[in-house]
Amino acid sequence: MNKTISDIAQMAGVAKSTVSRFLNGGSVSEDTRQKIEHIIKQYNYVPNTFAQSLKAKKTSIIGTVVPRLDSYATSQTLIGIDEELRGLQYQMLIANTSQDMQREIDAIYDFARQKVSGIILLAAEITDAHLKAIEDIQIPVLLVGQQHELLHSLIHNDEQAGYLMGEYVVEQGHREIVYLGVSEKDQAVGIHRKQGFKQAIDECSDCTVRYYETSFKMSEAVITAAEILEKNRPSLIVAATDNIAMGVMKTASFQKISIPQQLSVAGFGGYDITEMIHPTLTTVKYHYLQAGKLAANHISKLVKGESVSQHTVMDVELILRESVDKI
Amino acid sequence: MNKTISDIAQMAGVAKSTVSRFLNGGSVSEDTRQKIEHIIKQYNYVPNTFAQSLKAKKTSIIGTVVPRLDSYATSQTLIGIDEELRGLQYQMLIANTSQDMQREIDAIYDFARQKVSGIILLAAEITDAHLKAIEDIQIPVLLVGQQHELLHSLIHNDEQAGYLMGEYVVEQGHREIVYLGVSEKDQAVGIHRKQGFKQAIDECSDCTVRYYETSFKMSEAVITAAEILEKNRPSLIVAATDNIAMGVMKTASFQKISIPQQLSVAGFGGYDITEMIHPTLTTVKYHYLQAGKLAANHISKLVKGESVSQHTVMDVELILRESVDKI
DNA sequence: CTGAAAGCGCTTACAG
DNA sequence: CTGAAAGCGCTTACAG
């Protein structure tokens, strides 16, 4: 049977409140401190979290809502959040929504019920239902990966990413370009990343670029890429994510189109695997791990009521590798 | 301000206990049922989880301890657990230990403090400290991915996996073989998988196989593979995981050794990505998602006190692809 | 079916 | 510095 604070108090010959004070860093005489400490150690006493939370009406838990678990971006971000939170004495609770928007909303309310101190939200799209939930719960929320004017958010510089890539490929002499993007519902990837790219291409007078759309799944990218390559033969395909880029490479290798000699390919993300494949993939690196750590810091500040800049933008980094040829 | 059960009771004109009974499915008259239901709906009342747990002394949370978040096996297993648990009305709590054994132990005790109903443990090695913790907490624990005589466990058939692979490569005519494994501290991968392979090879009289060891990291596998290929030139390298296999492929492509013409490569795991790379990787598929679902089912049974077979073994499946040549 | 009361294990003013 | 008491929001016998 687990000991309670009363047991400890009794055995130490003091009042419960004294033990509680000791536990919470209040002042106790050296003498009682020793007595209590001894008993606690002896019985391996640990306070009951529920009783604590019931009184204190809060916890040291940060809830994190993620759209999926099997993505490099998500897992790296989670690792960053978790590591940093540990140092800040918070626990991380993960709610996976499998890209189901209703589950996102539910998860927010669930977290509120559990009295988490703050919520980190990784979501592709913020709807009115999200905003309502966030307002309802009265708990600090930090949005990661997307920007929203009404919310504290932490994003990667998608426009910059797109621009850097666009600038580079033009510089390498590419003129017949395909950009294989994703739905504009995902503002960060679907709109901003593409915008940045477009902007760079627009500065090149004799460039043509065709825009296509696919999903985040590599398997679908393979199919879309096949359809594209059937119709045209660009010198370069820029994919909105490394995952999609790998799908394109797959299709190319299947069709015996050699990369980068016959077709250049580039992506976004900077996944570890892109360095291991052949040829290595030119990409824009996103600092997910760092983003996670920063997110943890921000949410902890928000919880404490400290101010945090409404929008934080993380720099990205162009990584030159083998998959883009100079022509 | 959140309403409490007293508020609801008062507004409905009944006693707290009646509301509680209603909430917990006890019998109430049609009349009071309606009154209570109405008020609850109106004020959007949700019971305070802490107060509930404080009394009931348990929660509907299953804790899952994972060694890392950025692994295909882990994320797939987690997804399976999460999905299944949702249907069973449990919540999943994840503790990531970053392969730090002490954190594993701590996580077990932490979960106990939080009164989780059960714990699913993904761990590479079970030490006495693990066993002590598990005994201390008096909460059902299910071990996944490793077998231990004292614990309920759910494993993949590593011996079978090794054997299937060994049998196949011998059949394909390979005689000069390298097996690139991992530390025996990880019993499942380091010992059983290798054993199964060895067993198949032993049945081949003119086969020679050299055993090497590396870590689970692709980047280290690249280095180990380079060292191996410097010394010998086997016709085939079988890697203990797909990740390691991809490291080998990387080294090969770097050294302009073509796969499978000059060197065959195979792995274990069946990661999605192995189907997308070039050449596609011959591997043994592990059913991680299903394992996760089964784990969720088992732990929920253990929590209810229902019996579950002590050891469950999941079948694996040899997947023939392009990376192994017939010679 | 319904209600009053006790209690889960803490924390928090308030006296002393 | 220390302790008695009230209370956090529930649930659970126990009467009625």
Side-chain angles (χ1 to χ4, degrees), chain B residues 13-287:
Chain B
V14 297
K16 291 195 302 182
S17 33
T18 307
V19 178
S20 175
R21 217 176 307 117
F22 165 80
L23 253 21
N24 295 293
S27 50
V28 279
S29 73
E30 179 57 23
D31 203 36
T32 56
R33 214 209 74 221
Q34 292 203 347
K35 280 190 292 188
I36 297 175
E37 231 166 23
H38 179 242
I39 301 285
I40 287 184
K41 208 129 283 169
Q42 183 175 349
Y43 290 94
N44 224 294
Y45 166 73
V46 280
N48 178 313
T49 354
F50 299 119
Q52 286 180 314
S53 307
L54 179 56
K55 276 304 286 186
K57 301 214 168 203
K58 64 179 196 94
T59 61
S60 48
I61 297 176
I62 298 293
T64 305
V65 181
V66 301
R68 48 190 298 191
L69 246 18
D70 55 346
S71 119
Y72 179 81
T74 302
S75 62
Q76 291 300 311
T77 308
L78 282 178
I79 291 169
I81 294 173
D82 188 48
E83 282 189 5
E84 196 69 12
L85 242 30
R86 185 182 309 276
L88 295 163
Q89 308 294 326
Y90 282 103
Q91 220 199 337
M92 174 176 74
L93 227 175
I94 301 171
N96 174 35
T97 62
S98 300
Q99 315 212 59
D100 178 331
M101 194 172 302
Q102 187 52 48
R103 278 205 205 164
E104 273 177 18
I105 311 290
D106 292 346
I108 292 172
Y109 284 112
D110 279 351
F111 277 151
R113 272 192 64 186
Q114 293 178 68
K115 307 276 186 287
V116 300
S117 298
I119 294 178
I120 295 174
L121 179 60
L122 309 198
E125 190 185 353
I126 298 299
T127 65
D128 286 347
H130 287 81
L131 293 175
K132 178 168 185 322
I134 291 168
E135 189 169 340
D136 280 352
I137 60 171
Q138 298 279 48
I139 291 173
V141 171
L142 175 68
L143 181 61
V144 173
Q146 301 283 340
Q147 189 158 4
H148 193 288
E149 47 184 0
L150 299 174
L151 305 174
H152 281 275
S153 44
L154 173 62
I155 58 167
H156 301 275
N157 199 333
D158 279 295
E159 295 231 18
Q160 179 196 20
Y163 189 86
L164 285 174
M165 181 62 81
E167 195 182 40
Y168 171 68
V169 300
V170 168
E171 220 174 85
Q172 293 303 102
H174 291 279
R175 292 297 177 265
E176 290 286 323
I177 298 169
V178 161
Y179 183 92
L180 182 50
V182 300
S183 161
E184 297 204 342
K185 281 192 180 171
D186 184 321
Q187 294 211 8
V189 184
I191 300 180
H192 299 138
R193 202 171 288 181
K194 185 171 65 180
Q195 276 317 328
F197 187 75
K198 187 171 184 310
Q199 200 185 319
I201 302 298
D202 285 351
E203 294 170 5
C204 157
S205 53
D206 58 337
C207 287
T208 60
V209 49
R210 287 169 210 269
Y211 294 91
Y212 291 86
E213 212 172 272
T214 185
S215 85
F216 283 96
K217 287 188 188 160
M218 204 186 295
S219 54
E220 287 193 38
V222 168
I223 297 167
T224 316
E227 290 166 7
I228 294 171
L229 291 173
E230 218 169 84
K231 284 177 276 180
N232 352 243
R233 205 47 180 280
S235 66
L236 162 78
I237 297 182
V238 172
T241 75
D242 285 348
N243 227 24
I244 296 172
M246 286 190 281
V248 173
M249 289 174 80
K250 176 68 191 173
T251 298
S253 93
F254 194 74
Q255 301 192 1
K256 308 260 181 269
I257 299 173
S258 67
I259 299 174
Q261 295 81 0
Q262 296 173 273
L263 176 70
S264 289
V265 177
F268 291 86
Y271 307 166
D272 282 350
I273 184 88
T274 60
E275 203 173 351
M276 313 305 302
I277 56 180
H278 184 76
T280 54
L281 183 69
T282 289
T283 184
V284 176
K285 186 167 175 59
Y286 281 58
H287 300 105

Side-chain angles (χ1 to χ4, degrees), chain A residues 15 17-18 21 27 29 32 55 57:
Chain A
S17 33
T18 306
R21 218 176 306 114
S27 49
S29 72
T32 54
K55 275 304 286 187
K57 302 212 167 204

Side-chain angles (χ1 to χ4, degrees), chain A residues 196-240:
Chain A
F197 186 76
K198 187 172 185 311
Q199 199 185 323
I201 301 298
D202 284 350
E203 293 168 6
C204 158
S205 53
D206 58 337
C207 287
T208 59
V209 49
R210 285 169 213 270
Y211 294 92
Y212 291 85
E213 211 172 274
T214 185
S215 84
F216 284 97
K217 288 189 189 161
M218 204 185 296
S219 53
E220 287 194 37
V222 168
I223 297 168
T224 317
E227 289 167 5
I228 294 171
L229 291 172
E230 217 169 86
K231 284 177 275 180
N232 357 232
R233 206 44 179 283
S235 66
L236 162 77
I237 296 183
V238 171

